[in-house]
Amino acid sequence: MAKFIQALFDLKLVSQASLNQMKTVRDGDGMGMEPFTFAGKTLYGHTGGSGSSGAWLAYDPEEKLALAYTTNAKIYAVGEIVTGVFDIYWNRPFQIPALNAFEVSPEVLDRYLGVYTIAGTPARMTVTRDGGTLYIQAGPAPGRGVALEATAEDKFKLDPGAVFEFDVAKGQLTIKRANGERVFTKEK
């Protein structure tokens, strides 16, 4: 990705007119890439991802600096990682984040294992455990799913912005996101 964006700005892949068009923003959307500002500098690139993966491609044409970052099964926000890299590169203050994990015993985690559904919908979540880590898998797809990070004995998160709360007494899993929450019931 870094070599690609460098070649793009070196005009090895497109003309200057095409590059200028790619940098154009209309109605809040870029035409191939988006500009963003960091530390008073305008960079160009694109970001993407899902709940468990993420990517960030950025280029500073003044310094000819390219940064490419990808991750899978993320437990820390991609934007925070990229910001930290730029802070370090430009000798700005940076504090290494505390990545202290909240430990939940396997016996407690075992109470959350199972399949959770929403009646009358195809929504389905499967919760499994490997050691001291819970995993959640949407739908019927095979596989282990993505790791959840414990923030309390019955609360877990998946960056960016998804919180999972278990209520063993009610047999429920509530998934909270910025756009609302969904309550799943554990199958018996």
Side-chain angles (χ1 to χ4, degrees):
M1 290 186 337
K3 286 184 178 214
F4 169 78
I5 201 161
Q6 180 70 55
L8 195 64
F9 275 85
D10 285 346
L11 304 177
K12 292 180 180 176
L13 303 175
V14 298
S15 67
Q16 183 66 57
S18 292
L19 179 62
N20 291 342
Q21 185 177 17
M22 291 177 74
K23 296 189 313 185
T24 301
V25 175
R26 290 195 183 130
D27 300 322
D29 289 321
M31 299 178 70
M33 67 179 89
E34 300 166 356
F36 50 96
T37 303
F38 183 81
K41 300 174 183 291
T42 299
L43 295 97
Y44 298 90
H46 198 72
T47 64
S50 66
S52 65
S53 64
W56 195 306
L57 178 61
Y59 186 75
D60 176 358
E62 287 181 21
E63 294 196 30
K64 294 188 175 262
L65 171 66
L67 180 135
Y69 178 79
T70 62
T71 186
N72 204 0
K74 66 183 175 185
I75 59 169
Y76 194 70
V78 173
E80 296 295 320
I81 292 170
V82 171
T83 297
V85 169
F86 283 133
D87 281 339
I88 292 167
Y89 178 80
W90 282 310
N91 294 313
R92 295 169 47 90
F94 174 74
Q95 183 172 349
I96 295 174
L99 300 175
N100 301 331
F102 186 90
E103 303 261 345
V104 181
S105 73
E107 295 77 26
V108 170
L109 294 177
D110 285 346
R111 299 186 318 199
Y112 307 140
L113 304 182
V115 176
Y116 295 79
T117 59
I118 298 176
T121 75
R124 175 187 178 103
M125 294 286 177
T126 302
V127 178
T128 58
R129 176 179 71 83
D130 185 3
T133 303
L134 272 189
Y135 291 85
I136 192 157
Q137 174 74 39
R144 181 165 72 175
V146 295
L148 299 178
E149 180 183 353
T151 59
E153 188 170 279
D154 59 349
K155 292 181 185 175
F156 300 79
K157 72 176 185 169
L158 180 62
D159 285 328
V163 175
F164 301 79
E165 291 185 19
F166 291 91
D167 186 329
V168 174
K170 292 181 181 177
Q172 293 180 335
L173 163 62
T174 302
I175 301 175
K176 299 178 179 182
R177 295 191 172 140
N179 60 350
E181 64 181 54
R182 297 178 82 187
V183 178
F184 292 76
T185 302
K186 189 174 184 179
E187 291 182 347
K188 299 194 186 231

